[in-house]
Amino acid sequence: IEAHTQKETPVLSDLNRYTYANILTPRMLAGHLQGQILGMLSMMIKPKQVLEIGTYTGYSAICLCKGLQDGGKLHTIDINEELEEMAKSYFDKADVTDKIEFLIGNAIEIIPTINETFDLVYIDADKENYIKYFDMTYDKLKTGGYIISDNVLWSGKVLDKNKDNWDADTIAIREFNEKVQNDDRIENVLFPVRDGLMIARKK
C-alpha cells in the first residue's frame, strides 16, 4: 500500500525518522500512509477552520494543513509541553507556522475558549475522553463538517468479547464507536486504515 501511495515530503520523512529515534511511544505518530490520507481528506474538504486534539510531534497537523483555505487556521491542542519546541521547529520547516495556533494544556478546558466554527475536527488524544471531545466539538462543527477520530480499532482489542481483557481505554473506544454508530445526527464510516479512522459527517 505504501509503495503505491505518494511519498512523504522531505520534512515529513525527517520528522518521522526523528520521532522514532528520539521520542517515547513513536507509534503514536500518524506516519506515511495515515498522513497522506489526512492530507487527501483535507484537500477534499478544503477547511477554513480545523481543530486537532492531540498534536504529539506535529506530523498530522502538517498533513491537515494541506487543504486549508487561504487565511485558514489549524488549532492544535496538546497537554505535553515537552514536545512543543520540537513540533514548532517542524512547523517552521514545513512552512505552516502561520497557519497553526498551537495550544498547550487540557483540551477539555481549552476547547470552550476557542470561538470558531470548524469544518474539520481530528481527535487523536486520550481515549477515555473521546466521547467528551466528540460532544464538545459537535456544536462547534458546521453542518456538513467532519469529525475524524483515530485509533478506533485499538489494536484489535475492541473485537475481544472477553470483558475481563478490557482495560479502560478499550472500554472507552468501544463506547465511543457505539455512540457514533447510533447517532442519527451524523453519517459515518469506519476506515480500516492502520489503527482505524472513524469519519463522521454532520448532517
Side-chain angles (χ1 to χ4, degrees), residues 4-201:
H4 293 86
T5 296
Q6 181 178 335
K7 292 181 179 179
E8 295 172 298
T9 64
V11 171
L12 288 175
S13 179
D14 182 49
L15 175 53
N16 198 334
R17 287 194 304 269
Y18 187 91
T19 300
Y20 269 85
N22 298 281
I23 308 299
L24 291 173
T25 60
R27 66 188 298 271
M28 290 171 57
L29 188 83
H32 175 206
L33 175 62
Q34 186 169 327
Q36 290 298 321
I37 289 171
L38 292 175
M40 185 71 76
L41 290 172
S42 177
M43 290 291 288
M44 292 175 179
I45 296 166
K46 299 190 181 306
K48 183 78 170 179
Q49 294 289 335
V50 178
L51 174 63
E52 177 184 50
I53 307 170
T55 313
Y56 191 47
T57 56
Y59 193 105
S60 53
I62 293 170
C63 295
L64 289 167
C65 281
K66 191 171 181 181
L68 275 177
Q69 297 179 30
D70 289 343
K73 185 71 73 174
L74 182 142
H75 309 257
T76 185
I77 306 170
D78 204 281
I79 201 165
N80 186 356
E81 61 185 18
E82 293 180 4
L83 295 177
E84 179 180 9
E85 185 176 340
M86 176 190 166
K88 284 184 173 179
S89 72
Y90 278 93
F91 294 160
D92 283 340
K93 292 176 183 178
D95 197 26
V96 294
T97 296
D98 61 339
K99 299 178 180 180
I100 294 176
E101 182 75 23
F102 197 169
L103 304 162
I104 297 293
N106 187 323
I108 290 174
E109 297 173 357
I110 291 173
I111 291 168
T113 70
I114 305 174
N115 188 27
E116 296 289 353
T117 299
F118 296 106
D119 306 284
L120 172 61
V121 175
Y122 180 55
I123 302 174
D124 185 16
D126 53 309
K127 311 312 164 192
E128 291 187 54
N129 282 316
Y130 264 37
I131 287 177
K132 285 184 181 179
Y133 295 143
F134 186 94
D135 288 340
M136 293 179 76
T137 57
Y138 181 85
D139 289 338
K140 290 178 173 286
L141 191 69
K142 77 169 191 179
T143 299
Y146 294 83
I147 298 177
I148 303 174
S149 307
D150 193 16
N151 303 117
V152 295
L153 295 179
W154 203 228
S155 300
K157 295 177 183 178
V158 293
L159 297 176
D160 192 336
K161 292 183 171 55
N162 185 351
K163 294 183 180 181
D164 292 337
N165 295 332
W166 296 353
D167 58 15
D169 287 334
T170 302
I171 293 169
I173 291 294
R174 286 179 61 95
E175 290 177 349
F176 174 78
N177 289 340
E178 287 302 312
K179 171 188 172 59
V180 172
Q181 181 65 23
N182 294 310
D183 192 332
D184 60 9
R185 302 172 301 169
I186 60 171
E187 300 169 328
N188 65 292
V189 58
L190 197 165
F191 285 9
V193 173
R194 201 160 169 261
D195 201 25
L197 285 174
M198 181 71 81
I199 315 279
R201 178 182 180 272

